[in-house]
């Protein structure tokens, strides 16, 4: 339901915005994951996405953030990028040092995993569009809200002593506020501009049907595969005429290696009821021309197709052999003439 709404909204924005890139659909998200095996072995890695495209990565071993797209620098100058890079390097060292300090203070046991999930949208000055969440051992414990650190709802009591310490550091709070409210939206605006062509890319899906493993005697599992589409948002449904089949099970949307997506939708039916069913696919790249594939005939099993091809080839071979043989047996016309 959420996806359908999203698709509708997307279509609406497309129709309404014309050539504009609908910004709300391209949030910038960064994920930092830090693993502390013990007090001496730690590593921190980072990833960033604009919408569904991965734009940056930062491996522990490296001093610099990797730009994964030709437009990953957005409209920032080399100097601005260098200044930010320096800031993030110090942040990474400080972060590692501080987590170890907290572990000591609170007698936390290693190994520890800390994740930071942060990001923003291109809307400057809209504080509800940015976020900074921290999770400890997979559990959300603290967020940056407005201009200070706040405990998450499910945070254990021990988080409060950490938050008290964090909130005493005025300098870091100001830096985080500045990054989230000024730098991040500016950077994202630049990315939307420089990456426009790729962000607006539309790739049509291909679809095909197959039979899944039998769910039981007299039952069929119909599988509708949809692959190679971009952007990610897609609608796939098994239909009987114009009737959507509520038994349709949608799989996860999985990434292909070429930054397109794959999805399958299955439907379990009694063997006698499969005829007249069809799989319908809607996607923004199809511009309203839905793909409709009918069950029956078209997806004859691969085995049958191979058999048919082999039979044809055998027939052809027999014909050739027969004709050659027939000609060989004829007396030479040259002799007659
Ligand atoms: C810390 O963890 C690493 C990685 O698991 C391990 O190789 C190393 O021996 C550990 N060091 C200590 C002092 O326990
Ligand atoms: C991660 O990087 C830090 C320096 O930034 C280094 O001290 C540490 O040994 C690295 N960890 C691993 C597992 O390579
Ligand atoms: C890193 O730590 C130093 C020393 O505590 C502090 O002066 C500096 O503001 C911190 N920087 C960042 C980016 O956290
Ligand atoms: C700020 O963003 C939120 C969530 O995306 C939105 O509902 C709200 O209308 C925005 N406010 C302004 C002033 O743009």
């Amino acid at each position: 339901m959420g996806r359908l709404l999203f698709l509708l909204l997307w279509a609406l924005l497309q129709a309404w915005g014309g050539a504009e890139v609908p910004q709300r659909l391209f949030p910038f998200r960064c994920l930092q994951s830090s693993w502390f095996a013990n007090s001496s072995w730690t590593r921190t890695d980072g990833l960033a996405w604009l919408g569904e495209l991965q734009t940056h990565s930062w491996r522990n071993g490296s001093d610099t953030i990797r730009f994964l797209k030709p437009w990953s620098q957005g409209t920032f100058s080399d100097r601005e990028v260098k200044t930010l890079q320096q800031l993030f390097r110090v942040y990474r060292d400080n972060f590692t040092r501080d987590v170890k300090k907290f572990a000591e203070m609170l007698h936390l046991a290693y190994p520890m995993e800390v994740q930071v999930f942060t990001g923003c949208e291109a809307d400057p000055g809209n504080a509800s569009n940015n976020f900074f969440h921290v999770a400890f051992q997979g559990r959300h414990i603290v967020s940056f809200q407005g201009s200070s650190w706040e405990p998450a709802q499910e945070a254990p009591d021990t988080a409060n002593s950490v938050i008290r310490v964090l909130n005493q550091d005025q300098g870091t709070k100001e830096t985080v506020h500045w990054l989230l409210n000024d730098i991040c939206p500016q950077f994202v605006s630049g990315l939307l501009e420089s990456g426009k062509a790729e962000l607006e890319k539309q790739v049509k899906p291909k679809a095909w049907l197959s039979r899944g493993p039998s769910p039981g005697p007299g039952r069929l599992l119909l599988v509708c595969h949809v692959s190679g589409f971009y952007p990610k948002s897609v609608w796939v449904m098994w239909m009987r005429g114009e009737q959507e089949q509520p038994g349709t099970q949608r799989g996860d949307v999985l990434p292909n290696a070429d930054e397109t997506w794959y999805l399958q939708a299955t439907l379990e039916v009694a063997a006698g009821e499969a005829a007249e069913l069809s799989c319908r696919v809607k996607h923004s790249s199809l511009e309203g021309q839905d793909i409709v594939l009918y069950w029956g005939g078209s997806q004859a099993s691969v085995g049958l197709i191979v058999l048919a091809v082999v039979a044809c080839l055998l027939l052809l071979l027999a014909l050739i052999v027969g004709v050659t043989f027939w000609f060989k047996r004829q007396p030479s016309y040259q002799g007659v003439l």
Side-chain angles (χ1 to χ4, degrees):
M1 192 60 217
R3 264 174 209 285
L4 187 58
L5 202 70
F6 182 77
L7 197 74
L8 280 171
L9 192 74
W10 191 90
L12 211 71
L13 278 167
Q14 284 287 302
W16 174 47
E20 285 287 295
V21 179
Q23 307 196 335
R24 181 119 308 145
L25 304 178
F26 297 103
F28 185 62
R29 295 165 300 150
C30 309
L31 180 66
Q32 171 202 335
S33 75
S34 298
W35 176 247
F36 297 78
N38 47 50
S39 59
S40 53
W41 197 100
T42 76
R43 69 171 300 148
T44 289
D45 298 282
L47 289 172
W49 297 264
L50 183 65
E52 54 195 87
L53 298 177
Q54 203 181 323
T55 50
H56 303 82
S57 76
W58 195 12
R59 308 287 296 171
N60 184 78
S62 171
D63 268 349
T64 51
I65 293 171
R66 252 184 78 199
F67 291 169
L68 303 178
K69 299 284 181 195
W71 43 269
S72 288
Q73 188 168 327
T75 49
F76 277 23
S77 69
D78 289 348
R79 229 182 97 230
E80 285 171 309
V81 167
K82 214 171 139 206
T83 308
L84 284 173
Q85 177 71 76
Q86 178 57 26
L87 182 68
F88 291 138
R89 256 196 306 268
V90 177
Y91 160 80
R92 188 170 70 174
D93 293 345
N94 283 9
F95 178 87
T96 308
R97 182 197 65 200
D98 291 347
V99 170
K100 284 186 197 168
K101 215 172 60 192
F102 284 127
E104 206 180 314
M105 180 176 105
L106 299 166
H107 309 290
L108 301 173
Y110 289 90
M112 302 185 296
E113 163 124 79
V114 184
Q115 287 151 306
V116 177
F117 188 44
T118 180
C120 72
E121 288 177 41
D123 249 349
N126 188 343
S128 53
N129 272 345
N130 62 53
F131 60 93
F132 191 111
H133 303 308
V134 183
F136 179 72
Q137 311 289 43
R139 196 165 158 197
H140 180 197
I141 52 162
V142 51
S143 293
F144 193 78
Q145 299 267 319
S147 53
S148 65
W149 301 98
E150 305 276 349
Q153 248 166 15
E154 61 265 39
D157 289 340
T158 43
N160 287 319
S161 46
V162 174
I163 289 164
R164 235 186 338 267
V165 176
L166 287 176
N167 276 328
Q168 279 161 10
D169 183 351
Q170 204 60 37
T172 300
K173 286 197 295 186
E174 276 166 18
T175 306
V176 174
H177 184 269
W178 171 70
L179 286 173
L180 283 177
N181 290 280
D182 299 331
I183 298 303
C184 187
Q186 267 176 42
F187 185 61
V188 175
S189 290
L191 284 179
L192 290 174
E193 201 179 311
S194 57
K196 194 166 188 285
E198 191 167 347
L199 291 164
E200 285 181 334
K201 161 178 93 162
Q202 293 283 333
V203 187
K204 287 185 183 164
K206 290 190 172 49
W208 68 95
L209 306 178
S210 76
R211 186 181 293 187
S214 173
R219 311 281 301 166
L220 283 180
L221 186 67
L222 316 186
V223 188
C224 180
H225 308 258
V226 185
S227 188
F229 55 91
Y230 183 94
K232 191 177 183 179
S233 168
V234 70
W235 185 93
V236 183
M237 190 60 80
W238 279 98
M239 315 279 291
R240 188 181 296 284
E242 290 302 304
Q243 202 71 43
E244 290 176 19
Q245 297 304 107
T248 301
Q249 299 277 330
R250 217 182 124 106
D252 291 326
V253 181
L254 304 172
N256 285 325
D258 60 354
E259 286 199 326
T260 63
W261 299 95
Y262 170 87
L263 172 71
Q264 68 180 40
T266 57
L267 181 67
E268 191 189 318
V269 290
E273 289 171 10
E276 286 164 36
L277 282 169
S278 62
C279 174
R280 181 179 281 259
V281 181
K282 294 175 191 281
H283 187 261
S284 52
S285 64
L286 298 170
E287 292 168 350
Q289 305 282 308
D290 300 353
I291 295 177
V292 182
L293 295 177
Y294 289 90
W295 184 262
S298 59
Q299 77 298 327
S301 77
V302 175
L304 267 180
I305 294 173
V306 170
L307 207 69
V309 171
V310 168
C312 278
L313 284 176
L314 280 178
L315 204 70
L316 200 69
L317 196 71
L319 211 68
I320 292 170
V321 169
V323 168
T324 318
F325 191 61
W326 185 78
F327 268 114
K328 282 252 170 76
R329 281 191 48 184
Q330 297 309 306
S332 167
Y333 289 102
Q334 275 150 342
V336 175
L337 290 172

